Amino acid sequence: MVKAITRQRFKGQVHCPICTHTVDADVEQVGKTVRVVPGQKCGRCSATLDVAAVLQVLEAA
């Protein structure tokens, strides 16, 4: 039996690896893993956020 993987999108705070600031971004929860949605850019330095670390998910529990 194959389980269906749930995907949910939220707003969140991520750490930009280039300018080292915390910026807003869309994050996606796939199963138990939370990742940055690919293709986004930092609002401060325009660097890609594909490898950014998710710091906070702005969603009520």
Side-chain angles (χ1 to χ4, degrees):
M1 183 169 121
V2 177
K3 285 189 172 183
I5 297 175
T6 60
R7 290 179 176 249
Q8 295 178 324
R9 286 196 179 185
F10 305 105
K11 293 288 184 186
Q13 298 280 319
V14 300
H15 178 76
C16 177
I18 302 300
C19 68
T20 67
H21 282 89
T22 302
V23 294
D24 294 328
D26 292 330
V27 295
E28 182 176 53
Q29 181 180 3
V30 180
K32 293 182 179 181
T33 306
V34 180
R35 299 182 183 151
V36 178
V37 175
Q40 297 185 76
K41 296 203 178 257
C42 175
R44 295 179 57 93
C45 68
S46 299
T48 183
L49 293 175
D50 290 346
V51 296
V54 177
L55 299 177
Q56 183 178 24
V57 176
L58 303 176
E59 185 71 22

